Structure formats: structure tokens, C-alpha cells
Amino acid sequence: MNKQLDNWYDQHERLRLFYKELLEENEVAQITVTNCSDDSREITLWGTNKCAPIANPLNGFEEILKEADLVLATSEVVYNPVNDLFYVLSSRDDSLIIVNDQAVVLQTISLRINELTLVNPNNIVVNTNPNSIEYGYVGITGIREKEFFTVDLNFNISRRITLANDPIDLVYNPIDDAYFITESVRDSVTKITAFDNTVIDYLTIAGVKTLGVNTDNGDLYIHNISNNNVDVYNSNGVRKGWIERATANENKVSFYYHTINQKMYIAYDSLNSLVVVNTTTLATEKILNTALEPIDIEFNPLNNLIYVASQDEQKFTRIDADLEVVDHIPLVSFDRSFAISSKNGTIALNNATLRKLFVYTRNSKLLVKVSDDYQQIREDFKYNPMLISHVKVVASTSARINTLQIIESSISGKQTCESISLRSYQSPQGFGNVSEVFEMEGYIIDGRVCWRFTIHPNQQVTFLIYYQQLEMYNFLPEKARISTGVQMSNGIPEAWK
């Protein structure tokens, strides 16, 4: 036992003296690499000449799903950019539920005048015009009492207007600062102005159903179930044209106007397709196949993609700015309505059956982090290489960095690779995961050299590099140093000869 103890003391004393001499004769650089992901990552250090990335990819995403328990069945959800909140309609108990992007229910507002008067709300829209006196208000239609009403930013009902017939669909037109409502029986479109509360019989068209609006010029897009065409009217009620659909089926049609590319997106559920319309010529530019039964469309500003929700397949079809289908991604259980935050891209999906609002966030995340001063050190060693005296590697978990590859590229592009086994240099210092890599003495780090290794999930690895730096102007002839204005050097240090 005493012999083992003596050996332990001898070993640590030798190591202490070794590091004492290292510190007296060398500088120290500490480079820490952290894997923030649940996957192993290949890491590349140095390699300045080729601008080698530390990891590929360096950035990723963190997906977070939260649930808001809404107690009762709900129908529609919208996002209000004015207060950065989601509004959810509950037709079961005639209420409006306010939810934030953390899936926290902030408030529940009753939409009834009294306990005996039912509402049965079926549509909700947001006033998005900053110049409107009702900016940030939401407009709501109710079937039971055939009414339209608005809710202000203090969550109070600011006005109620009785309609002639059951409301079918509702949109807000920021150009007219007015709400447009399709009504059954009369086959009419009613216009209600926000600025003076005027109710106008806007249009009478047989078979009117769902609505879309061009928020740049005020054109109204009206789906007509009599012939399944979409009729387009300007803000004066003059018909500009139509978008023809060759189908005998009654479609559930959804609209989204894209303010960036100024195109109207129209989803037809029975055709399982999305039609992209040029809003100037009203010509169909492209027809895209979506997942089955597309029922709602929104734009995600976080990634500049159009999202089309499929009720049948429970998928999002995502479409880019070039009008190409990017992918189909599964979504959490969804009924008929979803909304996307224009602030951070958070998606809220309504599920009436489960009585929940699913709030889905996809945050950008740095997958690999490196010491803050790494880039500065890297650039310095590109022009003034380091001559390594010793390397110590410390890992935060028990998993070992088994191999370190030293890759050197010549001017002609030829590469040489030498592998160093770090496992061979395992050192039980304080029961830590430490490797004392004596073999790297004499190696040089400059712009042509890369270190490559694999870091384990959620692991942090620190390299302590003891080195002497080669100031390159020391190697220039004396006359060259004077001509370049460098006069502080007296040549190669005596200690290096």
C-alpha cells in the first residue's frame, strides 16, 4: 500500500514539475468546444486558409411543443400581431380564449349579452390597419343571433350589429377599413365599416360562400358554390373577372394573400391542390399538389414559407417563394384552423376534439459553440504559427475523444493526414476524462493545418495548448525587415537555435 502511495506521489510530482517548466517557457491557449445537440458532431479546428467551418451544420433548430387546455371544444384560432396573442373561439360555451405563445391561457371572455342569449360564434378576423380606430380589434360573427360584433384590446365587446341572415364567412379589408360578411338565404355580401359603423348591402350573388381579400388593393375574392368559380370584385363592387375551376364538387376553399410576392393562394380541399393566382391578370400561375384536403393557409415569416394544413393527412405542405413544394411535414393533431405568429413563427393549432390548442415553436439553436476568442487566436496563428510543446485534452463526460486527425494541405491542394490516438494518453487526474498528449510536441498550427475529431452528444471538450509562437518577420533578412518598416526584431531568438 505504501509503495502504491509513493508511486502516486511521484507521478503527480513529476507532472507538477513538468507543468511548471511548461508555463515558464511557453504561452497557453485554451480552446473549449461544446456540443449543444443530442447527436455526435464532427469538429474541425484551425484550417484558416480554407475557411474550414467548425461544424457542418453549425446551426440547427430546437422544436418545442406546448399544450393549452381549453376545457371546451373550440373552432377558430387567429393571431393578433398588435398584442402578440392568439385568440381562440369556443362555439360550445360562446367564449373567446386568449392564449400567449407559451400556451398559457391569459383570459376567457364570455361573448353573451346574458346567460339566456346564445351566440354560437363561427368566424373571427383581426383588424390589421394601423390607421383604423379599431386597429388590433377582432371582428366576430355569431350564428345563433345572426350578429357581428367586435372585441377591443382590453377584451371588451365594443359593438354589436344584427345581421339579416346567418353569417357564413368573414374577412377584414384594410383598404376599405371594413368587414365583409357572406350571408346565407339572401346570397349576399354585407359590408360593415370600422370608422363609422355603417352597414352596406355590398353585393347580391347566388351561391356566395367563403371570402378572400387582396390587402394591397382591396379586391374581394368570393367563392361561388353555384359553379365553384372564384369571382373577383374591386372595392367599388365592380366585377373584375373570375378564376375558373372545372369541378362539380362543392369545395371548402381557403384564401391567403401573400403581400411579399403579391399573389393569391387558393386551396381547394376536394381537389387536394393549391392554386397560385396572379392578382393583376387573375391568371393561374401554378397549381401545386398538397396533402389531402387542404383546409387552411398561413405564412411563416421565420422561414418565408407558405404553410398549407391538411385535415385528412394531418400534414403541412410547405411552399417556398419560387412556388415549389419544399416538403410535407407531420403536424400535431389538428381540426380546421391554425395561426402563425408574425413575431417569432410560433404556430398555434386548434383541436376541438381534444379541447386543446397546441403551440409549436421551432427556435434557431447553435449546435456547436466554441470559445469566444477562438476566431482571434485562429487568425493570429495563420500569420504567426504556433510551435506546440504540449497538449492537454479535458472532456466533460466519460465518453472519450478517441482520435485526433491532423490534416495538412499543401499549396497545390494535396492533403496529408496523421491520426493521434488520444485514448493512449488517458490520465486519471482527479477521476476526470483527461488526455496528456505528449506526442504533439513539435507540431505546428498555421493556416494550412486542421484538427478534426468527433465530439459526443452534449459534451464539452477543452484543449490546453502550450506553445511558442513563431513571429514570421523574425525570419526575414535584416534589409527586408527595414524595407517593410519592421525594425523591432533582432532575428531568431537565441533560445530557439
Side-chain angles (χ1 to χ4, degrees), residues 281-456:
T281 65
L282 302 184
T284 298
E285 290 198 357
K286 199 160 190 178
I287 298 177
L288 300 166
N289 294 325
T290 65
L292 298 179
E293 199 176 342
I295 197 169
D296 202 2
I297 316 168
E298 296 290 343
F299 173 68
N300 191 337
L302 196 68
N303 53 23
N304 294 319
L305 297 178
I306 290 286
Y307 282 56
V308 185
S310 161
Q311 190 171 34
D312 183 275
E313 294 189 67
Q314 297 287 285
K315 289 180 180 179
F316 278 131
T317 299
R318 302 198 300 177
I319 299 163
D320 63 19
D322 296 324
L323 307 183
E324 298 292 340
V325 173
V326 176
D327 54 20
H328 302 276
I329 59 172
L331 48 82
V332 293
S333 189
F334 154 83
D335 276 349
R336 59 174 262 190
S337 178
F338 77 103
I340 301 180
S341 165
S342 59
K343 180 180 178 181
N344 56 21
T346 297
I347 303 174
L349 301 112
N350 177 54
N351 189 300
T353 307
L354 299 178
R355 300 177 182 180
K356 291 182 181 295
L357 184 74
F358 293 100
V359 179
Y360 172 81
T361 306
R362 195 169 189 237
N363 297 325
S364 178
K365 179 182 179 182
L366 196 63
L367 299 177
V368 175
K369 295 180 182 178
V370 69
S371 305
D372 293 337
D373 57 352
Y374 166 71
Q375 294 295 347
Q376 181 180 348
I377 295 172
R378 184 190 190 199
E379 285 297 317
D380 186 21
F381 292 158
K382 174 182 178 180
Y383 300 106
N384 299 295
M386 68 155 68
L387 180 66
I388 295 176
S389 299
H390 183 63
V391 173
K392 182 175 183 177
V393 184
V394 182
S396 63
T397 66
S398 58
R400 293 209 157 268
I401 306 299
N402 293 328
T403 304
L404 178 66
Q405 291 182 318
I406 311 297
I407 303 169
E408 184 173 355
S409 302
S410 67
I411 297 175
S412 63
K414 182 180 179 180
Q415 286 190 340
T416 59
C417 179
E418 182 178 351
S419 296
I420 296 177
S421 172
L422 300 187
R423 182 179 291 274
S424 304
Y425 297 96
Q426 181 177 352
S427 175
Q429 297 175 32
F431 303 100
N433 188 346
V434 180
S435 296
E436 300 279 0
V437 192
F438 298 97
E439 187 179 339
M440 295 192 68
E441 181 180 1
Y443 278 79
I444 288 179
I445 296 178
D446 58 11
R448 298 184 297 110
V449 173
C450 291
W451 291 4
R452 188 165 294 160
F453 62 95
T454 299
I455 187 171
H456 298 283

Side-chain angles (χ1 to χ4, degrees), residues 160-173:
R160 289 180 182 269
I161 295 174
T162 302
L163 304 171
N165 296 283
D166 290 343
I168 301 173
D169 200 14
L170 166 69
V171 294
Y172 172 73
N173 189 335

Side-chain angles (χ1 to χ4, degrees), residues 29 39 53 63 84 160 186 194 245 247 274 311 323-324 341 383 457 489:
D39 301 309
E63 298 181 349
D84 191 33
R160 289 180 182 269
R186 290 176 63 204
R245 295 304 303 156
T247 174
L274 183 78
Q311 190 171 34
L323 307 183
E324 298 292 340
S341 165
Y383 300 106
S489 171

